[in-house]
Amino acid sequence: MLALARKVNESIIINDDIEVAILEIKGDQVKVGIKAPKSVPVYRKELYLQIQEANEEAVKAADPAALSELLK
């Protein structure tokens, strides 16, 4: 993991097209702004983990026979 120190109104650039900016700092909370192409999904980590878990459950619950029928 790369750790960087930034102040309010400072940014970092990722891969030429993603900008992460520090918008505000209040106590122990930091407000972050992210500019990224629409093709790049951006999620809070806890939401991303929920999505991954739901996807894994959907795969486990899939009926191979029903999937085979859909593909015909």
Side-chain angles (χ1 to χ4, degrees):
M1 175 187 294
L2 174 64
L4 299 171
R6 299 278 73 202
K7 295 178 182 176
V8 174
N9 296 323
E10 293 184 339
S11 301
I12 62 169
I13 303 295
I14 301 171
N15 202 30
D16 293 330
D17 58 355
I18 300 171
E19 179 180 359
V20 180
I22 304 304
L23 303 177
E24 183 179 351
I25 301 171
K26 280 187 180 176
D28 64 348
Q29 204 170 50
V30 177
K31 188 180 286 187
V32 176
I34 301 169
K35 286 185 191 175
K38 290 187 179 197
S39 62
V40 176
V42 178
Y43 301 106
R44 295 187 329 256
K45 184 175 181 178
E46 63 273 13
L47 181 58
Y48 177 79
L49 294 175
Q50 288 178 353
I51 292 168
Q52 293 297 95
E53 188 175 304
N55 287 343
E56 289 173 13
E57 290 298 320
V59 168
K60 290 177 187 174
D63 178 13
L67 290 174
S68 178
E69 189 64 32
L70 285 173
L71 296 174
K72 287 184 180 179

